[in-house]
Amino acid sequence: MKKFSIKKAAILLSIISWSSLFAQEKVGDTLKINEVVITANKHIQSIGNVTQQVDVITSEQASLLVEGNNNLSELLMYTPGAAVSVLSRNDANWGTYGGIGPKYATWMLQGLPIDGFVDPMSLDLEIIDRVEIQRGPASVLYPNYLSQDFAGNQSPLAGTINLIVKEKVDRQETKFSTSYGSYNTLNSQLYHQNNIKNLHYFAGINYEISDYTNYGTEGSWLNMQKNPEYAKTKLYAGATWYYGEQQNNKVSVFIQNTSQTGDAGRVYRGFAHQYTTINITETTHLSEELTFNAGFGMRFYDRTWQSSHFNVIDSLDANDGVNQVIVPVDANLIYQQGIQTLTMGVDYQNASYETYSDPLVGYNTFGNKATAYQYGLYIQDELRIGSLIARGGLRYQTIKNNISLLGGNTPGEPEKDFSRLLWSAGIKYHLSKNMALSANAGNSFMVPGLKSLGGTLPITDQGVAGKNGQLPNPNLKPESGFGVDLGVSMNLGSAMMKARVYHLMIDDAIVENRVSENPSQSQSVNAGNTTSTGVEAEINHQINDHWNWFANATYLSTKVGNDLDPDQEGAEIPFAPDLTMNAGFTWQSGFGLKIFPVVNYTGTYYDNSSKSGRLAFTPGLVINLFAQQRVVSNQHINFDLFGQFYNLSDNRYEMPWQFQNTGFSMMIGFKISFL
């Protein structure tokens, strides 16, 4: 791929900045969309006035979506460009974003990065005010995430998902809900919110227990001999203090701890995980034109599990674990005057990661031990000139890895540094009050994750029965990415139509290659020049106060390029389905009944890039239904009965690594709100 030089990037930014001297007019929001977003430019603005396509899922909309695996990534299932593949209620989402794999879209909480594999399993839906999904390159204003677990580092090349936490509380409310359903699953929640003058706060607890069920295919390496029981406890709290003459300055604090315990359906296959998330954010309006934002976070990921050898009588081999701590920091200044918005900032991450095993000898042996540091400087200028919106930005990013142990051994190269200049640009032109065209482009880079380099198994365990995990590959090279998209938005009165065409390209792409099925082993490899071309189309129609319907479709053409390995050359990107489609409607009656049926179709995808050794999966149709009846409603209390029906078609499709969808399940319960 031809590199974008520093000189060209500087010229691009200069042209956009200096053109503000000749601009005369600021464009209004010509598309009649009520949502405001902050993700695209780190300041509040109308969704119609950003060059990127952004989806907004409000808390009310999210409450209608059936999450069959209690994973926040399932909120994205019905949006264009996203294919969700959550392996089980206690496993991560291995779906794809933009057809380029699960690690090419970052997740954020209030603008600070979180882990796209772990945190959607951990965070509670009740904390969210809305979800903002920016489609397309986002690597200037937002950094990579330095997670080393699962697929390793995560990059915002295909976009970013921002979970916006509740801040302003409009009334006092206490809610209690409980539901019971399939697999003897019991879920209970208690939530309270209130405001005391300038202080707005909320707190809650979510507790769930379940016998669950066998989520492995016949003959799976999971070898479940009983129901895989689990228990989850989520404790969370948030508070926002508004201050200043106009009370437009604020400091917000959020904390959540999730405890997840259980087993994988066999003796000596227990697990106990602790996830803690802390966010502190601050916004100060220094003047009418200048705003200062800062954020600080801490993410603690502590996972432990038993490794065992099954036979006539199971035997415990070891207690294994991973400890990971990541500290993200961000500070920026936003200058707004007339037609111009200039954003400048710095961000930083500190990550520590270690894997260990207690082989029943009374002490731990460490497999991988490392720390990583990331520094970023970024600037973006945006102009609104008549009907044209133009933006351009630069980021200089440095990542440093300090590796103490790799696969239990001292590495030959303990320190590795990577630096890149990244860029992003976009334009949007309003052809009329009801139609706009947009184009965006940008690049990214991603260093190999420690798990990809060092694996969770020594290379000598390749093919050994009972040794399930990831094999090491210390010869991995960094990836370089490029993305471009073209979009159109049309307002047809009560309906909104959008379409987008995009192309993503990765040089030296790192993909997960399935080495063996039984035992279940994978290995990260550089797969040459990898590309994904997608076409998205969607419509959302608000017929009246009672009826709303939507439909969308995404077609993907993906290709792995690897001249060194004919078996991979021309193969499709793993986990990227060729076609996804969604359709559904919401109906609200005048007597308190609300129903939301939705259909999801996912086409064919593969588990790895080896044409001779890969497996094909076609999930097909999944039909979900949410129904709620309000029984009591007055100024003091609301009482609702609800039902969540997942996979009504009982489609028990197979997934990678010998997992399968467990088919139809349901939860029936009630919710009572004291106002």
Side-chain angles (χ1 to χ4, degrees), residues 227-478:
N227 289 338
E229 302 174 358
Y230 70 83
K232 298 178 184 177
T233 303
K234 301 178 181 180
L235 294 166
Y236 56 85
T240 302
W241 173 262
Y242 291 88
Y243 65 96
E245 292 183 2
Q246 299 178 345
Q247 296 186 19
N248 59 351
N249 302 324
K250 61 183 179 180
V251 176
S252 296
V253 178
F254 171 78
I255 183 169
Q256 176 170 323
N257 175 263
T258 297
S259 173
Q260 182 177 334
T261 60
D263 62 64
R266 201 171 75 225
V267 177
Y268 302 129
R269 283 282 287 157
F271 61 84
H273 308 326
Q274 290 283 336
Y275 306 126
T276 301
T277 304
I278 299 172
N279 250 36
I280 302 174
T281 59
E282 186 266 350
T283 296
T284 300
H285 294 273
L286 303 175
S287 66
E288 291 186 4
E289 296 84 15
L290 195 62
T291 302
F292 173 75
N293 298 299
F296 169 84
M298 299 187 73
R299 290 81 170 93
F300 300 90
Y301 308 102
D302 298 325
R303 302 195 300 119
T304 61
W305 63 92
Q306 293 177 322
S307 294
S308 62
H309 184 78
F310 65 91
N311 208 319
V312 177
I313 300 177
D314 287 3
S315 59
L316 178 63
D317 294 336
N319 295 299
D320 299 328
V322 170
N323 290 327
Q324 184 170 210
V325 179
I326 301 181
V327 179
V329 179
D330 180 86
N332 59 76
L333 283 170
I334 299 175
Y335 176 77
Q336 293 178 275
Q337 186 176 41
I339 61 164
Q340 184 179 28
T341 300
L342 181 66
T343 304
M344 300 174 290
V346 297
D347 51 41
Y348 166 80
Q349 280 182 56
N350 181 314
S352 64
Y353 177 80
E354 64 181 28
T355 64
Y356 63 88
S357 178
D358 174 7
L360 309 181
V361 294
Y363 58 87
N364 291 342
T365 59
F366 290 94
N368 298 325
K369 232 180 176 182
T371 55
Y373 307 90
Q374 180 172 267
Y375 311 88
L377 298 171
Y378 57 88
I379 181 170
Q380 177 172 281
D381 200 11
E382 180 183 276
L383 300 172
R384 298 176 181 176
I385 311 167
S387 298
L388 178 69
I389 303 170
R391 65 170 182 87
L394 298 172
R395 165 181 285 269
Y396 186 77
Q397 188 158 291
T398 296
I399 298 176
K400 297 182 178 181
N401 285 338
N402 296 321
I403 305 172
S404 301
L405 287 176
L406 199 59
N409 300 309
T410 302
E413 192 173 358
E415 295 185 5
K416 292 186 178 182
D417 297 355
F418 307 89
S419 296
R420 292 288 192 280
L421 178 70
L422 306 178
W423 62 274
S424 178
I427 59 171
K428 187 171 191 176
Y429 184 73
H430 293 77
L431 296 173
S432 67
K433 184 177 181 180
N434 298 312
M435 185 174 183
L437 302 176
S438 62
N440 299 274
N443 69 343
S444 70
F445 89 110
M446 186 186 299
V447 303
L450 184 63
K451 186 168 182 277
S452 295
L453 291 168
T456 60
L457 299 170
I459 193 65
T460 53
D461 281 345
Q462 183 170 349
V464 178
K467 299 295 184 180
N468 306 297
Q470 185 163 355
L471 298 169
N473 186 354
N475 298 317
L476 287 171
K477 297 180 290 185

Side-chain angles (χ1 to χ4, degrees), residues 495-560:
M496 175 63 68
M497 295 183 64
K498 294 181 182 180
R500 188 172 75 107
V501 179
Y502 57 88
H503 181 75
L504 301 171
M505 181 167 59
I506 305 291
D507 282 342
D508 295 321
I510 299 172
V511 300
E512 300 305 310
N513 187 40
R514 182 181 59 83
V515 176
S516 68
E517 187 70 25
N518 197 355
S520 177
Q521 295 181 346
S522 62
Q523 186 181 49
S524 299
V525 296
N526 286 111
N529 187 304
T530 296
T531 61
S532 170
T533 301
V535 180
E536 303 169 354
E538 58 184 310
I539 183 171
N540 193 312
H541 186 193
Q542 184 72 47
I543 300 175
N544 52 43
D545 292 339
H546 300 284
W547 289 93
N548 171 276
W549 68 275
F550 79 95
N552 61 63
T554 302
Y555 170 76
L556 288 172
S557 175
T558 66
K559 181 179 179 181
V560 173

Side-chain angles (χ1 to χ4, degrees), residues 80 129 140 241 390 402 430 446 448 501 509 572 590 629 640 646:
D129 177 69
V140 164
W241 173 262
N402 296 321
H430 293 77
M446 186 186 299
V501 179
E572 290 82 0
Q629 174 65 57
D640 301 301
Y646 172 71

Side-chain angles (χ1 to χ4, degrees), residues 103 105-109 112-119 142-149 151-156 276-277 297-301 324-329 348-351 372 374 397 399 445-447 449:
K103 61 183 180 180
T106 51
W107 284 68
M108 297 184 295
L109 186 70
L112 289 174
I114 55 177
D115 192 292
F117 292 89
V118 176
D119 289 299
Y142 299 106
N144 291 5
Y145 190 58
L146 293 185
S147 173
Q148 300 294 344
D149 213 354
N153 292 191
Q154 295 154 41
S155 163
T276 301
T277 304
M298 299 187 73
R299 290 81 170 93
F300 300 90
Y301 308 102
Q324 184 170 210
V325 179
I326 301 181
V327 179
V329 179
Y348 166 80
Q349 280 182 56
N350 181 314
Q374 180 172 267
Q397 188 158 291
I399 298 176
F445 89 110
M446 186 186 299
V447 303

Side-chain angles (χ1 to χ4, degrees), residues 57-77:
I57 302 174
T58 65
S59 58
E60 181 180 1
Q61 293 169 333
S63 68
L64 302 179
L65 297 175
V66 177
E67 300 172 73
N69 291 289
N70 301 329
N71 192 307
L72 293 184
S73 66
E74 293 174 286
L75 298 178
L76 277 62
M77 180 180 294

Side-chain angles (χ1 to χ4, degrees), residues 43 110 381 665 675:
H43 67 94
Q110 296 289 84
D381 200 11
S665 64
L675 308 176

